[in-house]
Every structure is written in structure tokens, then in C-alpha cells.
Amino acid sequence: MHFERNIYMDEVCTKIKDLRVKHGLTLKDLSEKTGLSVSFLSQIERGASSLAITSLKKIADAFGVNMTFFFENQHPHNYAVKTEEQKVLKMESSPIQYVRLSGEFAGRQQEAIKVILSPHYKDNTEMFNHSGEEFHYVIEGTLIFKVNEEEYLLHEGESIHFPSEKPHQWENPLDRETVVLSVLTPVIF
């Protein structure tokens, strides 16, 4: 999964470079701490390459910060998120769009996102699990959710809520987009 280039990701790239400089590290130093190549890190800092979430995690770990650090605003809080302020995140080569709906404030523990799954999208990776909880409400379309080998068929107006530690994956079986409101813990963006 990669983040596509956009203004939001340009802010992330700037924060990576600022952190590296603040810590007095060269690109080579950061490369040794992350296992990522010097040329790749240079491209990231210049905004010339897409960034995989796994690479961002390695960079965050090298600096001893949470991944959320790279997505935090400099403002003390922003509770309301107007339509024009919603940030769209799309993973490179992925048919899924994420629209960030959560406000900004210290100690936030939930992530609210609108997820738009392309027609016939099927998560072909192995079932995924992680810490936290997930709540998904189908706004438009149909969603097949697999949790611990049990399948749930959800239509508009229906929801599912489960501990994220349970292996899970999802699918849009329709010829049109499915739109889902998802509320997750822990915070990811």
C-alpha cells in the first residue's frame, strides 16, 4: 500500500526531512536505522516518490514517534471538519479511496473515515488483523465482510462492529461503488 502524491503527503515528506535535520541525521544515517535506501529516502523527502505505509512505519520507529505524528496539524485542535477540509487519501494502484473525517485534537483515539470501494473490489491479501476496534456502516452499496472465517453480507443502512484482532477482509460484490463510514481505533492518520 502506497500513499499517492498530494498536498497532504507533501506535508508528511516535509515533516520527515525536518525530523531528520532536527535529529542531526544524514540520509545515510536514516537509511541505516530504517533499512531503506538513501536514494529512496531522498526521493521521499523531495516528494518524488510514493510512500508505502510500511516505509512510513520504519521512519516513524527510527525517530521514536507514532505514525500519526506525520499527519498531525500544528493547530491545537480542529473539532469540525468542513467538506472542503476533508483530506482524500488513495493508496497507489489501489481501487479504494479514504476520506478523512476526524477532527484534530490531542489524545484523539478514534479514526473516522469514509471509504469508497471500486466495483468488484476484493481484498486479495491474506486476512488482516491488528489491535483496536472497527465499526463499518454501509452508506451506499453492499459489502461482504469476512471476520474469523465467518461471512457477513451488509446492505445500505447495515453495520458491523468487531475487535480488530480478529482476522478480517472485505469485498464490494457490486458493479458500482460501495461507500462505507468506518470508525477505527487506534488512530491511523
Side-chain angles (χ1 to χ4, degrees), residues 156-173:
E156 291 177 20
E158 297 179 336
S159 62
I160 187 168
H161 183 194
F162 60 92
S164 303
E165 288 89 5
K166 305 281 185 194
H168 55 279
Q169 62 187 168
W170 57 2
E171 173 184 349
N172 174 8

Side-chain angles (χ1 to χ4, degrees), residues 18-44:
D18 291 347
L19 259 182
R20 181 180 62 77
V21 171
K22 179 182 171 186
H23 283 82
L25 298 175
T26 65
L27 284 169
K28 185 173 190 269
D29 296 333
L30 186 56
S31 173
E32 291 170 1
K33 287 179 163 275
T34 61
L36 303 171
S37 73
V38 171
S39 63
F40 176 70
L41 290 168
S42 175
Q43 289 174 356
I44 292 301

